[in-house]
PDB file of all heavy atoms in Angstrom:
ATOM      1  N   SER D 544      47.249   1.390 -30.402  1.00 87.00           N
ATOM      2  CA  SER D 544      47.535   2.833 -30.375  1.00 87.00           C
ATOM      3  C   SER D 544      46.324   3.619 -29.884  1.00 87.00           C
ATOM      4  O   SER D 544      46.465   4.562 -29.095  1.00 87.00           O
ATOM      5  CB  SER D 544      47.939   3.316 -31.773  1.00 87.00           C
ATOM      6  OG  SER D 544      49.221   2.838 -32.103  1.00 87.00           O
ATOM      7  N   GLY D 545      45.135   3.254 -30.345  1.00 85.00           N
ATOM      8  CA  GLY D 545      43.934   3.942 -29.893  1.00 85.00           C
ATOM      9  C   GLY D 545      43.707   3.774 -28.408  1.00 85.00           C
ATOM     10  O   GLY D 545      43.292   4.714 -27.709  1.00 85.00           O
ATOM     11  N   LEU D 546      43.987   2.574 -27.907  1.00 88.00           N
ATOM     12  CA  LEU D 546      43.853   2.305 -26.480  1.00 88.00           C
ATOM     13  C   LEU D 546      44.772   3.220 -25.670  1.00 88.00           C
ATOM     14  O   LEU D 546      44.353   3.838 -24.685  1.00 88.00           O
ATOM     15  CB  LEU D 546      44.195   0.832 -26.215  1.00 88.00           C
ATOM     16  CG  LEU D 546      44.140   0.351 -24.770  1.00 88.00           C
ATOM     17  CD1 LEU D 546      42.698   0.232 -24.310  1.00 88.00           C
ATOM     18  CD2 LEU D 546      44.854  -0.990 -24.639  1.00 88.00           C
ATOM     19  N   PHE D 547      46.036   3.328 -26.110  1.00 89.00           N
ATOM     20  CA  PHE D 547      46.982   4.183 -25.385  1.00 89.00           C
ATOM     21  C   PHE D 547      46.633   5.666 -25.533  1.00 89.00           C
ATOM     22  O   PHE D 547      46.792   6.447 -24.591  1.00 89.00           O
ATOM     23  CB  PHE D 547      48.403   3.911 -25.864  1.00 89.00           C
ATOM     24  CG  PHE D 547      48.941   2.559 -25.469  1.00 89.00           C
ATOM     25  CD1 PHE D 547      49.843   1.875 -26.282  1.00 89.00           C
ATOM     26  CD2 PHE D 547      48.540   1.956 -24.291  1.00 89.00           C
ATOM     27  CE1 PHE D 547      50.338   0.627 -25.919  1.00 89.00           C
ATOM     28  CE2 PHE D 547      49.024   0.705 -23.920  1.00 89.00           C
ATOM     29  CZ  PHE D 547      49.925   0.043 -24.734  1.00 89.00           C
ATOM     30  N   ASP D 548      46.177   6.058 -26.726  1.00 86.00           N
ATOM     31  CA  ASP D 548      45.792   7.460 -26.916  1.00 86.00           C
ATOM     32  C   ASP D 548      44.657   7.848 -25.969  1.00 86.00           C
ATOM     33  O   ASP D 548      44.662   8.934 -25.379  1.00 86.00           O
ATOM     34  CB  ASP D 548      45.356   7.695 -28.365  1.00 86.00           C
ATOM     35  CG  ASP D 548      46.531   7.958 -29.286  1.00 86.00           C
ATOM     36  OD1 ASP D 548      47.574   8.429 -28.791  1.00 86.00           O
ATOM     37  OD2 ASP D 548      46.417   7.695 -30.498  1.00 86.00           O
ATOM     38  N   ARG D 549      43.666   6.959 -25.839  1.00 85.00           N
ATOM     39  CA  ARG D 549      42.547   7.261 -24.940  1.00 85.00           C
ATOM     40  C   ARG D 549      43.019   7.322 -23.490  1.00 85.00           C
ATOM     41  O   ARG D 549      42.516   8.127 -22.699  1.00 85.00           O
ATOM     42  CB  ARG D 549      41.435   6.220 -25.115  1.00 85.00           C
ATOM     43  CG  ARG D 549      40.704   6.358 -26.445  1.00 85.00           C
ATOM     44  CD  ARG D 549      39.477   5.480 -26.495  1.00 85.00           C
ATOM     45  NE  ARG D 549      39.796   4.066 -26.506  1.00 85.00           N
ATOM     46  CZ  ARG D 549      40.060   3.369 -27.605  1.00 85.00           C
ATOM     47  NH1 ARG D 549      40.054   3.969 -28.795  1.00 85.00           N
ATOM     48  NH2 ARG D 549      40.327   2.071 -27.555  1.00 85.00           N
ATOM     49  N   ALA D 550      43.971   6.468 -23.137  1.00 87.00           N
ATOM     50  CA  ALA D 550      44.510   6.500 -21.775  1.00 87.00           C
ATOM     51  C   ALA D 550      45.243   7.811 -21.513  1.00 87.00           C
ATOM     52  O   ALA D 550      45.098   8.425 -20.449  1.00 87.00           O
ATOM     53  CB  ALA D 550      45.446   5.309 -21.555  1.00 87.00           C
ATOM     54  N   LEU D 551      46.021   8.275 -22.501  1.00 87.00           N
ATOM     55  CA  LEU D 551      46.712   9.554 -22.344  1.00 87.00           C
ATOM     56  C   LEU D 551      45.711  10.702 -22.235  1.00 87.00           C
ATOM     57  O   LEU D 551      45.912  11.652 -21.475  1.00 87.00           O
ATOM     58  CB  LEU D 551      47.639   9.788 -23.537  1.00 87.00           C
ATOM     59  CG  LEU D 551      48.962   9.022 -23.542  1.00 87.00           C
ATOM     60  CD1 LEU D 551      49.635   9.139 -24.898  1.00 87.00           C
ATOM     61  CD2 LEU D 551      49.887   9.541 -22.452  1.00 87.00           C
ATOM     62  N   GLY D 552      44.626  10.612 -23.005  1.00 83.00           N
ATOM     63  CA  GLY D 552      43.627  11.665 -22.983  1.00 83.00           C
ATOM     64  C   GLY D 552      42.924  11.800 -21.648  1.00 83.00           C
ATOM     65  O   GLY D 552      42.381  12.862 -21.327  1.00 83.00           O
ATOM     66  N   ARG D 553      42.929  10.729 -20.835  1.00 84.00           N
ATOM     67  CA  ARG D 553      42.274  10.773 -19.533  1.00 84.00           C
ATOM     68  C   ARG D 553      43.218  11.263 -18.432  1.00 84.00           C
ATOM     69  O   ARG D 553      42.799  11.436 -17.292  1.00 84.00           O
ATOM     70  CB  ARG D 553      41.717   9.389 -19.184  1.00 84.00           C
ATOM     71  CG  ARG D 553      40.476   9.052 -19.981  1.00 84.00           C
ATOM     72  CD  ARG D 553      40.051   7.609 -19.864  1.00 84.00           C
ATOM     73  NE  ARG D 553      39.672   7.222 -18.519  1.00 84.00           N
ATOM     74  CZ  ARG D 553      39.038   6.075 -18.234  1.00 84.00           C
ATOM     75  NH1 ARG D 553      38.702   5.252 -19.202  1.00 84.00           N
ATOM     76  NH2 ARG D 553      38.732   5.769 -16.991  1.00 84.00           N
ATOM     77  N   LEU D 554      44.476  11.470 -18.779  1.00 86.00           N
ATOM     78  CA  LEU D 554      45.444  11.923 -17.775  1.00 86.00           C
ATOM     79  C   LEU D 554      45.423  13.439 -17.639  1.00 86.00           C
ATOM     80  O   LEU D 554      45.083  14.161 -18.579  1.00 86.00           O
ATOM     81  CB  LEU D 554      46.859  11.492 -18.173  1.00 86.00           C
ATOM     82  CG  LEU D 554      47.259  10.039 -17.971  1.00 86.00           C
ATOM     83  CD1 LEU D 554      48.684   9.844 -18.482  1.00 86.00           C
ATOM     84  CD2 LEU D 554      47.157   9.610 -16.522  1.00 86.00           C
TER      85      LEU D 554
END
Side-chain angles (χ1 to χ4, degrees):
S544 288
L546 179 73
F547 291 148
D548 276 335
R549 289 189 293 274
L551 282 169
R553 286 169 63 167
L554 284 178

